[in-house]
Amino acid sequence: MSTAHTRLTEALRELRTRTGLSLAALAERTAYSKSSWERYLNGKILPPRQAVQELCRIADEPPRRLLALWEITESERSGRGAVLTPAAPPPAEPRHETERPQPAGDRPRSPGRIRLLVALASVYTLLAGGTALLLLLPSARDRATDAAGEPLPVSVPYSLSPRCHGAACEGRDPLRLVCGIDPDTLTTSRTATGAYVELRYSETCGASWARTWGTAVGDRLDVTVSGPTHAVRVRDAADADTYVYTGMAAAGPGSTVRACFRPASADDAPECVTARVGPARSPSPG
C-alpha cells in the first residue's frame, strides 16, 4: 500500500473502533456488506469515496481529512498523478543532397525542446503534488486560537520535522509546528451536547493539546497540564463543521492532562476529562 492508503486505512479503523460497531452492525448502517468493510479496514482494497463519507457520518467525524487522503490514494492508483515523459524522437535518417528541407512545422523536435517539455511536466507535477499536500495541511480556519478567539502567532513555516519541544511548544499551534503528525490519542469522550473531546500527545514534541468536533458556535475548550491553560472557542459555523484545537501544553511521561469543554449554553454544565501520559516508547532497533 502507498503511504496515503496506509494512513487512510489506519484512520478508518480508528473511526470504526470509536463507533463500537461490529462489521455486521456497520454493514446494517451503510450500503456496504460486512465482507466489503473487512477488505476496506484491512487495506486490501480502496473503499469507495461514499463509504469513507458514511463512516465519518456514523462516527460524527469531519470528513475533510479522510477524503483528502482518499483523493490522493485514488490518484496514485489510477495513475493520474504520474508524469508522462515525452518519447524521444526517432533517429533522423541521413538527408541526400537532392532532398528538400522539411517545412518548419514538420521538423523533428530538437533536444532542447524535449528538455523544455520534460521540465514543464515536472513543474506541473510539483504543483499538483503541492495542491494535494495543502488538502492535508491545516487551513487558516484550523489554526489554534487563544482564549479571546484570536489566531495564535504563526512564525514558523511548515517543515517535515517538529519545530519545538517541551516548554518551547507552550501555547503554540500543534499542526503548524508539525507536532500533529501521528500523535498519540490519550482519550476520546463525548459530551452531553454531542460534541467530542480528544486529548492528544506528541512524544517527539513533548507536548499535549485538546481538540473537539461536533460542536456549536460559542462552545469553548481548554487544556491544562501543569502550567498555563490554553483555550479555543468555536467562532462560527465553519469552525463548528470541522476540528478546533487548543494550543500545546508542555507534557511528558507521567504528566496528567486535563481538558474542559464549556458549552455555549449556560444551561449546560462544563465537562472535564483527564488522561495520563504513558511511559516513553523504547527506540526501535536500528
Side-chain angles (χ1 to χ4, degrees), residues 11 19 21 33 35 45 47 54 74 84 97 99 102 118 127 195 218 254:
T19 66
L21 296 175
S33 66
S35 59
I45 61 174
E54 289 196 28
E74 195 277 334
L84 298 179
E97 290 295 324
E99 184 180 3
Q102 290 180 323
V118 173
L127 290 174

Side-chain angles (χ1 to χ4, degrees), residues 232-259:
V232 65
R233 181 172 60 86
V234 180
R235 296 166 294 174
D236 51 33
D239 278 354
D241 193 42
T242 185
Y243 296 110
V244 293
Y245 53 92
T246 68
M248 291 184 282
S255 295
T256 298
V257 185
R258 175 184 174 89

Side-chain angles (χ1 to χ4, degrees), residues 29-32 49-59:
R29 294 196 179 194
T30 66
Y32 305 93
R49 191 176 193 275
Q50 183 63 33
V52 176
Q53 288 180 305
E54 289 196 28
L55 183 54
C56 287
R57 173 184 55 79
I58 293 170

Side-chain angles (χ1 to χ4, degrees), residues 85-89 108-120:
T85 305
R109 293 173 178 171
S110 67
R113 183 176 176 80
I114 294 297
R115 286 194 294 271
L116 176 60
L117 290 174
V118 173
L120 290 174

